[in-house]
Amino acid sequence: WEIAATNKRVLIVDSDPQGSCNHWASVRPEDLECPIDIVSMPRKTLHKDVPPFSEQYDHIIIDTPPRTAAITRSALVAADIAICPVSPSSFDLSAVQETLAMIDELQSMKELKCFILITRAVVRSVLSGEIREALSEYEFPILDSVQHHRIAYAESAAGYAVQEMGRDGVRATAEMKALSKELLKRLEIKKW
């Protein structure tokens, strides 16, 4: 959303068989314009199917399944940047280890930048610090930006971006803006 707000053409490829992004678009109120296009592609040929879209879009974001799978591998082959979300739980830590190992393997074959993003963090909880410490053993940078466990993120499933939720989305919107700015800085680019 932050990227689209800069007048860039953005496509989200929903490759998760659960179809969360596609569902979000289907329940979005018809009177609200959406600056992002969404296409469903839960297939393991993303590395072949996604590149042709790059002629029509400035940025393509691929939403992958949460566990390591052929779809995730194909998405990573198609990608230039991977952002691995991890919530403060031992289950997420275990799952991301597989994904980070896959990224490490792919980096020997192609240029693929990777960042770890802590999500669903509980405000004023020590768990975020503990998960950050556990992730520090990996060579991938952990983003300073954190997405906290906020009702606005859950309520956005009704077809709204947190940026459209007024007072209810203020903190979530600030987190998204901070994430966007940090990524620009870490990628050493001035604007999307």
Side-chain angles (χ1 to χ4, degrees), residues 136-152:
S136 66
E137 70 181 68
Y138 297 98
E139 63 184 64
F140 305 110
I142 303 167
L143 295 169
D144 296 326
S145 301
V146 174
Q147 289 182 334
H148 290 89
H149 184 63
R150 300 196 184 281
I151 293 172

Side-chain angles (χ1 to χ4, degrees), residues 93-121:
L93 187 58
S94 174
V96 82
Q97 288 172 347
E98 296 173 33
T99 303
L100 293 175
M102 185 185 298
I103 291 168
D104 189 46
E105 177 190 331
L106 288 172
Q107 283 180 328
S108 66
M109 296 179 253
K110 64 171 284 191
E111 186 164 338
L112 176 61
K113 294 181 180 177
C114 175
F115 301 101
I116 298 170
L117 173 65
I118 297 175
T119 63
R120 293 188 221 138

Side-chain angles (χ1 to χ4, degrees), residues 3 11-12 14 27 75 126 142 148 152 156 190:
I3 298 171
L11 173 68
I12 294 178
D14 189 355
V27 298
V126 297
I142 303 167
H148 290 89
S156 69
K190 292 184 179 179

Side-chain angles (χ1 to χ4, degrees), residues 3 6 17 25 30 34 43-44 57 72 79 86 89 114 122 145 180:
I3 298 171
T6 65
E30 290 182 21
C34 185
R43 51 183 103 142
K44 56 187 175 185
Y57 294 93
T72 302
V86 183
S89 79
C114 175
V122 176
S145 301
S180 180

Side-chain angles (χ1 to χ4, degrees), residues 14 18-28 157 159:
D14 189 355
Q18 180 178 316
S20 300
C21 295
N22 215 33
H23 174 76
W24 178 88
S26 72
V27 298
R28 185 164 171 79

